[in-house]
Amino acid sequence: CPRYIQPQNLTQNLTSVSEFFLLGLSDDPELQPLLCILFLSTYLVTVLGNLLIIQAVTSDPHLHTPMYFFLSTLSLADIGFISTTVPKMIVNILTHSRVISCEGCLTQMSIFILFGGMDCTLLTAMAYDRFVAICHPLHYMAIMNPHLCGFLVLVSFLVSLLESQVHNLILLQLTCFKDVEISNFFCDPSLLLDLSCSDMVTNNIVMYFVGTIFGFLPLSGIFFSYYKILSSILRIPSTGGKYKAFSTCGSHLAVVCLFYGTSLGVYLISAISQSPRKDVTASVVYTVVTPMLNPFIYSLRNRDIKRAMWKLLSKILSS
């Protein structure tokens, strides 16, 4: 990245940048210790909760199934997702600094998009898993074999990596910025594009096209899977059978609604609101709250996970 040069005129465009300044959540010094404790606690709960799910799935042979394989991979992606933003924010609060280098900003943005994309694509793979389990139960183990599961996770990673690198390449072409202050607590790619003083028509078209493709296709796969699932469930004659079939999708459906609902809410708030602070608060919901709630949703609504967790905790406490 080019070196930052202080402009002579404050209204002059910045033609070279070596660092950016993150807005953060609040400038009030009295709130900083509270924010630090709050986000450190949230981060630890998220990491420990997701690690507990991974360990429970790994240690219990009854959970060595495609659904729980995808769940443990999703937990790993959630750990990476929240680790991209929250530790940096905590360090900024402790050091009373909002500076992030240009290289660090691009790295944070790339990793953020990578794990966010993996969340999207893994939720799609899990929807397909539920579709096969309910609509083709007799062929479930033959279709969802270990090779296909591993292939779906690999495709999820490669597609997300491609998306992050496309964003990275577009931003690396920028040589001129109007400002160096990012109105969020992490390097949001859309905000970096807004800071550019270059002609961004082509880049915006490419960016939104890529976002539409990588966002629309996974969501379409989820909708199609649940359309088939719902059609299959409605053909079950007994009410108990319908409830039992749909209950296997409850946790996944709740996570999908939480993830896409909060993401959509953030973009709607950003489009309507003119306050950067409101945008930051909305971003906290899908970058911090959603990864923290996922382990609770799966553990509280799933008897197999609860049983495996209690068994794991009993083993840890007795040792």
Side-chain angles (χ1 to χ4, degrees), residues 109 167 171 187-195 207-208 267:
M109 182 205 69
H167 283 78
L171 288 168
C187 291
D188 190 321
S190 61
L191 294 179
L192 285 172
L193 280 176
D194 290 339
L195 294 180
M207 187 77 81
Y208 285 116
Y267 283 106

Side-chain angles (χ1 to χ4, degrees), residues 81 111-123 156 159-161 163 214 218 259:
F81 188 61
I111 299 174
F112 177 81
I113 295 174
L114 170 64
F115 286 115
M118 284 193 68
D119 272 357
C120 291
T121 49
L122 285 171
L123 287 173
S156 171
V159 167
S160 304
L161 182 63
E163 181 184 7
F214 286 108
F259 181 81

Side-chain angles (χ1 to χ4, degrees), residues 57 62 77 93 102 122 160 190 273 288:
V57 171
H62 296 95
I93 293 173
C102 185
L122 285 171
S160 304
S190 61
S273 173
V288 179

Side-chain angles (χ1 to χ4, degrees), residues 180-214:
V180 292
E181 187 171 87
I182 300 172
S183 57
N184 213 324
F185 63 93
F186 67 97
C187 291
D188 190 321
S190 61
L191 294 179
L192 285 172
L193 280 176
D194 290 339
L195 294 180
S196 171
C197 57
S198 307
D199 181 15
M200 289 300 297
V201 175
T202 304
N203 285 339
N204 276 326
I205 292 174
V206 173
M207 187 77 81
Y208 285 116
F209 176 76
V210 170
T212 301
I213 293 297
F214 286 108

